[in-house]
Amino acid sequence: MDSNNLIQTILVFALPVLFAITIHEAAHGYVARHFGDNTAYMLGRVTLNPMKHIDPIGTILMPLMLYFATQGAFLFGYAKPVPVNFGRLRHPKRDSVWVALAGPASNFVQALLWAILFTVLAGVGLTEPFFLKMAKAGVLVNLVMCAFNLFPIPPLDGGRILVGLLPPKQAYALSRIEPWGFFIVMALVLLGIVSRFWLSPLIDIGYQLLNLLLTPLTLLFS
């Protein structure tokens, strides 16, 4: 990829990615505060300021290195996790599910908003490709974040949701994986298992659900 295309790609994805990670992390903190834990709020993490959530390595350096190393075929990154003291939640086991679910749910809502924007822009006849590409990138980025974070291994949100839903004995066994969970997930990603058996099916379902939700708006412009 030449430098001009690289710069254009970065510009197209920059805003959707910043919104995706910022709102995802802020959502965790907001819901945790709602259920009794104000740890993130006291540390200034319940905010839409992206600088509070950006991790220099996970949000910037790692995605860039992977982009160049794989010629754009594989990207991965992360933001600073919002601190949550699950013991301070009013009903820790139940409320932890809602705290974990808040992040992926916020990404799906953002995907829907970007999809609405794309439909409206295309419907009014906008021909400027930059904004259309940005809207499409917003849908893709958020569906990927939503699906990936729902993978059922802690410390990913899906793993914490599963810990909250399982009976105590099974929940404890799964929670003990968390210190090694990141490395397990990375191994499964590199083997292509996550992409083939998790990300691709869930992203396809996400697109189908968005198309269903957008049907009235699409008919309006048809």
Side-chain angles (χ1 to χ4, degrees), residues 142-165:
N142 280 285
L143 286 182
V144 169
M145 278 196 67
C146 179
F148 183 78
N149 279 283
L150 284 174
F151 194 71
I153 292 181
L156 294 180
D157 297 327
R160 288 179 172 160
I161 292 169
L162 192 56
V163 167
L165 294 176

Side-chain angles (χ1 to χ4, degrees), residues 189-212:
V189 166
L190 294 174
L191 290 171
I193 294 173
V194 171
S195 177
R196 182 177 179 183
F197 296 105
W198 186 263
L199 281 182
S200 293
L202 260 65
I203 290 171
D204 286 344
I205 292 172
Y207 275 115
Q208 291 173 23
L209 185 53
L210 289 178
N211 287 334
L212 180 63

Side-chain angles (χ1 to χ4, degrees), residues 18 22 45 47-56 60 80:
L18 279 177
T22 298
R45 296 296 304 280
T47 175
L48 295 181
N49 178 2
M51 299 308 295
K52 294 288 187 178
H53 304 290
I54 289 175
D55 182 280
I60 300 172
K80 293 178 185 176

Side-chain angles (χ1 to χ4, degrees), residues 111-122:
L112 176 59
L113 294 175
W114 282 110
I116 290 173
L117 178 62
F118 177 84
T119 303
V120 171
L121 293 177

